[in-house]
């Protein structure tokens, strides 16, 4: 039996376990409230609460951790005892998160990632005192590194590159975030889940009430709802990125952010696979962008399209000084993109407009009074297709390639040659007839999965150049 002292998490972990259990069982509770008699529902709910409380206490009591023989060793499990060992040498990053409850008790959540971490962290200590978490973090990173870090802090504390978001920029990030669309999507998903619990008479009454409002009032109601979601989106962005600060210390980037839930994310530079610049249709006319990174194996922070946000919003002319300061290997002093050929334009327009033509034709057949709406959507699709063609291109250097493309947002990706895992070229008969091809470049992404970037309808000669660059062919 080991003589090394084992530690337990803070008792507030019991509260977290109860909250998690209640969250996972919320649909069962709602279902029971509707289905069962009130007496039996309260009886079952009482049993459910007592069992949840008992399991939460036992889960906390049975979870212990210790440092022994160069490993973080955890033992847990109420009925099935589990032991999990993580070698210190395999730890890639250690992140600290403090939610509202954590901050009330001066605690943090410590999450550990290794190269093999999947969708979640390799290990998670849900409630540890901040001082203990810092000691554990230094111990896991190695005493030698810890000593060097303290020495570096003492000597160079005033010259660590660091930037933080200003309140004005934070507000601007919220206003231009486009989060209203995401909020609406979440609301639609939540409504689809709860629809079955809405009484039929209330559902029918609401539907009839909306129909009787008339087209003008319906549009007005839709605008009010969109405005409310827009305000919620602004609030969500400001809460998420409030007090955003990025600091470079040695070969790691430290990002802290969040007003309610304070997160500290560590990004080792060696795990960065690519740098991206996103220009949304809202921010692009004003010259603002979001800078993000693709980090191999990361799973703790998800931002723009599930990448790690390096800085939420900045002007385009601020990118070069920012990268020069934090990631000099990805400097973008001069980039001259090679555009897509003219033959590619019709492919982009057809790809954007064809689905709208088919769906719009069917909609006009059944609802001819909304023909004007189909025409507007078709025009927007045509414009988007043209923008995708115009923004596509690449820039090739000896050790890196820069590719630019557009979905809804315009994205520019900086890929180092040594980070590109695979290259693929393909062409269908129509592309072959026009001398075009599609290429795909793959890198390691989050959760151990690949991340792929495609450039469609390149000149075949350019596609071959990219293939030669990847294969080191002369």
């Amino acid at each position: 039996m080991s003589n090394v002292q084992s530690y337990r998490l803070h008792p507030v972990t019991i509260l977290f376990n109860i909250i998690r259990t209640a969250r996972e069982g919320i649909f069962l509770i709602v279902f029971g409230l509707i289905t069962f008699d009130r007496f039996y529902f309260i009886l079952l709910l009482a049993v459910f609460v007592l069992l949840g409380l008992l399991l939460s206490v036992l889960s906390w009591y049975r979870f212990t951790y210790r440092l022994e023989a160069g490993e973080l060793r955890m033992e847990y499990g109420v009925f099935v005892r589990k032991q999990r060992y993580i070698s210190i040498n395999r730890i890639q990053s250690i992140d600290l998160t403090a939610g509202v409850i954590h901050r009330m008790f001066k605690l943090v959540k410590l999450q550990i990632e290794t190269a093999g971490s999947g969708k979640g962290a390799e290990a998670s200590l849900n409630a540890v005192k901040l001082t203990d978490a810092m000691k554990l973090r230094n111990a896991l990173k190695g005493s030698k590194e810890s000593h060097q870090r303290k020495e570096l802090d003492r000597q160079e504390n005033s010259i660590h590159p660091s930037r933080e978001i200003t309140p004005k920029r934070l507000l601007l990030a919220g206003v231009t975030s486009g989060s209203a669309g995401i909020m609406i999507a979440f609301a639609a998903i939540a409504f689809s889940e709860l629809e079955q619990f809405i009484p039929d008479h209330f559902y029918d009454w609401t539907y009839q009430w909306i129909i009787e409002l008339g087209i003008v009032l319906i549009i007005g109601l839709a605008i009010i709802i969109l405005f409310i979601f827009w305000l919620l989106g602004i609030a969500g962005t400001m809460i998420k990125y409030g007090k955003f600060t990025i600091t470079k210390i040695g070969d790691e980037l430290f990002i802290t952010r969040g007003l309610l839930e304070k997160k500290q994310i560590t990004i080792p530079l060696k795990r960065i696979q690519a740098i991206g610049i996103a220009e949304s249709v809202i921010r692009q006319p004003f010259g603002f962008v979001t800078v993000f990174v693709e980090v191999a194996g990361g799973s703790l922070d998800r931002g723009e399209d599930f990448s790690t946000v390096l800085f939420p919003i900045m002007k385009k002319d601020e990118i070069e000084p920012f990268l020069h300061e934090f990631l000099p290997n990805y400097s973008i002093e001069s980039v001259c993109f090679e555009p897509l050929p003219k033959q590619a334009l019709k492919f982009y327009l057809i790809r954007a407009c064809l689905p709208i033509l088919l769906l719009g034709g069917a909609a006009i057949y059944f609802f001819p009074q909304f023909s004007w709406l189909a025409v507007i959507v078709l025009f927007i699709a045509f414009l988007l297709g043209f923008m995708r063609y115009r923004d596509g291109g690449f820039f090739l250097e000896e050790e890196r390639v820069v590719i630019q493309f557009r979905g809804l947002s315009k994205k520019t990706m900086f890929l180092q040659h040594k980070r590109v895992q695979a290259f693929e070229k393909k062409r269908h008969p129509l592309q072959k007839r026009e001398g075009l091809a599609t290429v795909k470049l793959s890198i390691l992404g989050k959760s151990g999965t690949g991340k792929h970037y495609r450039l469609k309808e390149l000149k075949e000669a350019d596609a071959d150049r990219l293939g030669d660059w990847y294969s080191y062919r002369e």
Side-chain angles (χ1 to χ4, degrees):
M1 187 174 180
S2 174
N3 293 323
V4 178
Q5 182 181 359
S6 295
Y7 299 92
R8 284 195 175 84
L9 303 177
H10 191 278
V12 80
T13 304
I14 299 171
L15 177 61
F16 291 133
N17 292 338
I18 293 173
I19 293 173
R20 187 184 69 241
T21 304
R23 189 174 59 229
E24 292 172 351
I26 187 67
F27 283 106
L28 288 176
I29 295 173
V30 174
F31 179 77
L33 177 63
I34 296 174
T35 307
F36 292 101
D37 178 82
R38 185 63 57 88
F39 172 77
Y40 290 109
F41 170 73
I42 293 175
L43 185 63
L44 288 173
L45 184 61
V47 173
F48 177 78
V49 170
L50 286 175
L51 283 176
L53 182 60
L54 180 62
L55 287 174
S56 298
V57 173
L58 289 175
S59 296
W60 164 77
Y61 183 78
R62 300 277 282 175
F63 189 106
T64 61
Y65 67 93
R66 66 182 186 275
L67 280 176
E68 184 178 356
E71 295 177 331
L72 175 64
R73 299 185 172 183
M74 296 171 291
E75 297 185 9
Y76 55 96
V78 176
F79 301 109
V80 179
R81 196 69 175 154
K82 299 178 182 177
Q83 296 176 327
R84 192 169 194 177
Y85 299 162
I86 301 174
S87 172
I88 290 177
N89 295 328
R90 299 179 65 84
I91 292 175
Q92 297 285 335
S93 67
I94 303 168
D95 296 336
L96 306 179
T97 305
V100 176
I101 299 176
H102 286 98
R103 294 163 78 173
M104 290 171 60
F105 294 92
K106 296 183 179 178
L107 304 173
V108 293
K109 180 180 181 180
L110 189 144
Q111 292 176 282
I112 297 169
E113 282 198 30
T114 66
S117 296
K119 293 182 178 179
E122 187 70 36
S124 184
L125 304 180
N126 286 329
V128 185
K129 286 184 179 178
L130 179 59
T131 52
D132 293 341
M134 297 305 292
K135 290 177 183 176
L136 181 60
R137 178 177 177 170
N138 290 334
L140 291 173
K141 281 179 170 291
S143 57
K144 181 179 177 180
E145 184 180 344
S146 176
H147 174 74
Q148 291 175 338
R149 176 67 48 78
K150 290 178 181 177
E151 186 67 23
L152 192 63
D153 287 346
R154 189 161 48 250
Q155 293 179 359
E156 303 178 8
N157 188 49
S158 60
I159 60 172
H160 287 323
S162 181
R163 290 198 184 192
E164 60 182 271
I165 193 167
T166 62
K168 183 179 177 182
R169 284 287 174 89
L170 181 60
L171 177 61
L172 192 61
V175 171
T176 60
S177 66
S179 298
I182 299 173
M183 301 283 292
I184 291 172
F186 276 115
I189 294 172
F191 178 78
S192 65
E193 294 293 329
L194 296 174
E195 183 183 8
Q196 55 186 315
F197 301 114
I198 299 175
D200 290 340
H201 68 278
F202 179 78
Y203 190 92
D204 295 338
W205 178 85
T206 305
Y207 178 79
Q208 191 64 33
W209 177 72
I210 292 175
I211 292 296
E212 290 175 353
L213 283 177
I215 187 67
V216 176
L217 289 178
I218 290 176
I219 293 175
L221 182 62
I223 291 173
I224 292 173
I225 292 174
L226 285 174
F227 182 71
I228 292 173
F229 278 114
W230 182 61
L231 293 178
L232 291 174
I234 293 174
T237 301
M238 296 186 72
I239 290 171
K240 182 178 180 180
Y241 292 116
K243 296 183 179 179
F244 186 100
T245 304
I246 179 171
T247 306
K248 182 180 180 182
I249 301 177
D251 57 356
E252 292 180 322
L253 297 176
F254 293 86
I255 295 175
T256 58
R257 64 167 177 80
L259 294 181
L260 295 181
E261 184 183 59
K262 186 176 180 180
K263 284 193 172 184
Q264 185 183 88
I265 302 164
T266 306
I267 304 176
L269 298 184
K270 62 182 180 183
R271 289 177 58 193
I272 293 178
Q273 304 298 302
I275 301 293
I277 298 168
E279 302 173 65
S280 70
V281 290
I282 302 175
R283 291 176 180 171
Q284 189 175 355
F286 303 100
F288 285 101
V289 302
T290 297
V291 182
F292 61 94
V293 291
E294 299 296 345
V295 183
S299 63
L300 300 180
D301 182 52
R302 291 184 166 189
E304 301 286 330
D305 290 344
F306 304 117
S307 302
T308 300
V309 172
L310 212 56
F311 208 85
I313 187 169
M314 66 172 57
K315 296 285 285 186
K316 285 189 74 171
D317 56 9
E318 295 171 351
I319 299 174
E320 171 56 27
F322 176 81
L323 292 180
H324 183 74
E325 193 173 21
F326 290 92
L327 296 163
N329 290 338
Y330 290 91
S331 177
I332 55 170
E333 291 179 356
S334 60
V335 176
C336 184
F337 287 103
E338 297 196 31
L340 299 176
K342 292 181 180 178
Q343 307 92 292
L345 177 58
K346 55 178 172 288
F347 289 93
Y348 279 81
L349 294 180
I350 291 172
R351 195 180 293 123
C353 296
L354 187 59
I356 303 301
L357 283 172
L358 296 175
L359 294 174
I364 291 173
Y365 178 79
F366 289 105
F367 306 100
Q369 67 271 31
F370 293 115
S371 300
W372 57 273
L373 184 59
V375 173
I376 292 175
V377 174
L378 181 62
F379 174 75
I380 293 173
F382 179 87
L383 190 61
L384 184 60
F386 179 76
M387 291 171 66
R388 285 174 176 167
Y389 161 75
R390 186 196 60 186
D391 292 332
F394 73 96
F395 174 71
L396 195 60
E397 289 182 320
E398 185 176 354
E399 290 301 326
R400 73 171 180 178
V401 62
V402 186
I403 60 174
Q404 186 170 275
F405 55 93
R406 177 186 288 277
L408 191 57
S409 299
K410 176 181 171 184
K411 289 187 178 177
T412 306
M413 300 301 305
F414 296 77
L415 308 174
Q416 299 282 359
H417 183 280
K418 60 183 179 181
R419 302 296 189 188
V420 178
Q421 303 294 317
F423 171 84
E424 180 182 291
K425 168 191 165 185
K426 65 179 181 180
R427 53 182 182 165
H428 52 68
L430 293 178
Q431 287 179 327
K432 185 177 180 180
R433 193 172 64 182
E434 298 287 348
L436 304 174
T438 295
V439 300
K440 181 173 76 173
L441 297 160
S442 303
I443 61 171
L444 288 176
K446 284 181 174 292
S447 305
T449 59
K451 191 96 178 186
H452 313 289
Y453 302 101
R454 291 179 177 82
L455 269 180
K456 297 179 178 178
E457 282 80 37
L458 281 176
K459 287 181 185 175
E460 189 171 3
D462 288 337
D464 291 335
R465 279 179 58 204
L466 285 169
D468 292 342
W469 170 82
Y470 173 74
S471 302
Y472 285 119
R473 288 193 294 262
E474 296 293 340

